[in-house]
Amino acid sequence: MKFLDQAKIYIRSGNGGGGSVSFRREKFIPNGGPDGGDGGKGGDVWIVAADGLNTLIDFRYQQHFKAQTGHHGQGRQMHGGKGEDVVLKVPVGTQVLDEDKETVLLDMDTAGMTELLLRGGNGGWGNTRFKGPQNQAPTHANPGQEGQERWIWLRLKLIADIGLAGLPNAGKSTFLAAASAARPKIADYPFTTLTPNLGMVDLSPSERFVIADIPGLIEGASEGAGLGTRFLGHVERSASLIHLIDGTQDDVVGAWRIIRGELDAYGAGLADKTELLALNKIDALSPEEREEKAAALQAVSGKRPYLVSGVSGEGVTELLRAAWTEVRKTRGEVGPDDEHVVPETPGGWAP
């Protein structure tokens, strides 16, 4: 399925049905009087966060959504029925933005969340409503109320506990495949990942979290270079970021600075998230090279990087354990006293 994370759509609620002008005309009833019914209410436009969806691809093929007009009233005081509603089903994590693409109207971040976008117009009154001592035979009725309309943007931000960041070819997809059951595309050329991928990490039956792998960033991505920074929106909701650095490159410090600079330029609090720094591809490094590059990263970042290899699985368990601790902090499951306690996984889990 093609991944689509934003779409512009037109929505319109239904007009109210018109009231009826009718008079009762039956044999042997000379003074029947008015009996026009009211029009029905126009259909509403609703939006629902549905489980099982992970893309907005359905909105590529249909951009206009119009609710049904309310049925018109009829004689014998028969009121019109309500028009059918329109229900937009979107993935969990979808934001609804105004036409300016900046004002957030709704954030559909909970499965089953249902919100009203546009209310349908009220139905018009039939002429029965206007009869009285001074006007016993009214010859007019109200038309239905006009529905509402507007253009909106839908923008999907994936719900993930941990985000993966790094330069192209940093080994993010390989790490995701080693840590979860996800099978992203893996190749030996830059920008292998063109769309975000999600993977579920199962440390134990009670220890599960979601990792999001996004396309790699390059220097100047905030200004449109490479694939830009648009996909960073998918890690805005994450508890922390795993920053993978390719240990086989010469300038690991420069790689760290590039990603940190792009995170700062993007904003949205990404630069303030807890960073789990990891030196990847250590299976291709000698013990001396590992120590030298880890020390260089520690000097510039102020924290000791994790040494991992998505190919051999070395160090992956420790990094995932640290990520799980950050997830528990976000969920409020870790207090000040047990913040640094790393629980053991029954059965000795390994990727």
Side-chain angles (χ1 to χ4, degrees):
M1 179 182 291
K2 186 175 178 61
F3 184 84
L4 186 70
D5 63 352
Q6 65 179 22
K8 185 179 182 181
I9 62 173
Y10 170 84
I11 55 176
R12 192 185 197 287
S13 60
N15 297 335
S20 171
V21 176
S22 175
F23 293 90
R24 185 178 181 185
R25 292 183 176 89
E26 295 183 44
K27 191 175 183 180
F28 307 121
I29 303 179
N31 300 316
D35 68 349
D38 299 339
K41 180 180 177 296
D44 303 323
V45 180
W46 297 83
I47 187 168
V48 178
D51 263 336
L53 299 178
N54 56 11
T55 175
L56 297 173
I57 188 64
D58 292 338
F59 299 97
R60 166 164 289 185
Y61 306 109
Q62 182 180 356
Q63 290 86 33
H64 294 76
F65 298 87
K66 300 178 182 179
Q68 187 181 28
T69 298
H71 298 278
H72 301 307
Q74 300 180 45
R76 297 189 178 182
Q77 297 190 34
M78 290 191 292
H79 302 313
K82 182 181 182 298
E84 289 188 12
D85 296 339
V86 165
V87 180
L88 307 177
K89 293 184 178 181
V90 298
V92 178
T94 300
Q95 289 183 329
V96 181
L97 290 83
D98 203 354
E99 192 175 0
D100 60 8
K101 211 176 178 181
E102 295 181 358
T103 306
V104 178
L105 305 176
L106 291 171
D107 193 354
M108 311 296 290
D109 58 355
T110 305
M113 182 177 176
T114 303
E115 296 289 343
L116 178 65
L117 290 178
L118 295 180
R119 187 178 298 278
N122 292 324
W125 283 358
N127 65 338
T128 306
R129 297 271 193 171
F130 299 98
K131 69 180 180 181
Q134 303 300 322
N135 186 10
Q136 297 183 8
T139 57
H140 70 278
N142 286 344
Q145 186 181 28
E146 289 287 325
Q148 302 171 319
E149 61 181 352
R150 73 186 306 172
W151 285 90
I152 59 173
W153 280 91
L154 301 178
R155 182 171 64 192
L156 174 60
K157 292 185 177 181
L158 296 179
I159 303 293
D161 299 301
I162 299 293
L164 288 178
L167 292 172
N169 267 8
K172 300 187 299 300
S173 297
T174 303
F175 177 83
L176 181 66
S180 69
R183 291 295 174 261
K185 182 180 179 180
I186 299 174
D188 59 352
Y189 54 82
F191 296 112
T192 305
T193 301
L194 298 177
T195 60
N197 294 302
L198 289 179
M200 176 67 74
V201 177
D202 286 300
L203 294 176
S204 74
S206 61
E207 299 171 313
R208 308 179 71 195
F209 62 94
V210 179
I211 289 184
D213 171 29
I214 60 173
L217 302 173
I218 64 173
E219 189 170 10
S222 58
E223 299 173 358
L227 296 178
T229 58
R230 169 181 153 188
F231 290 113
L232 282 175
H234 295 290
V235 296
E236 285 184 20
R237 304 177 190 269
S238 60
S240 60
L241 297 176
I242 293 178
H243 183 175
L244 289 181
I245 295 180
D246 183 358
T248 61
Q249 62 186 338
D250 296 329
D251 188 7
V252 293
V253 172
W256 178 84
R257 285 177 173 158
I258 288 174
I259 297 300
R260 295 303 304 179
E262 296 304 324
L263 294 179
D264 283 328
Y266 180 82
L270 286 186
D272 300 326
K273 290 185 180 294
T274 302
E275 178 190 48
L276 299 175
L277 186 58
L279 184 65
N280 197 19
K281 303 183 183 181
I282 60 171
D283 56 289
L285 301 178
S286 65
E288 294 77 15
E289 290 174 321
R290 294 183 183 186
E291 182 57 35
E292 177 185 351
K293 293 184 177 182
L297 286 174
Q298 183 175 5
V300 70
S301 67
K303 63 189 73 174
R304 180 71 178 179
Y306 292 87
L307 302 181
V308 300
S309 170
V311 174
S312 65
E314 183 180 355
V316 174
T317 303
E318 291 76 10
L319 180 55
L320 293 178
R321 273 290 165 199
W324 172 241
T325 300
E326 295 300 325
V327 173
R328 295 181 65 213
K329 289 181 188 178
T330 304
R331 297 176 181 175
E333 300 174 0
V334 177
D337 296 333
D338 57 353
E339 180 175 322
H340 301 290
V341 177
V342 178
E344 293 294 331
T345 301
W349 180 91

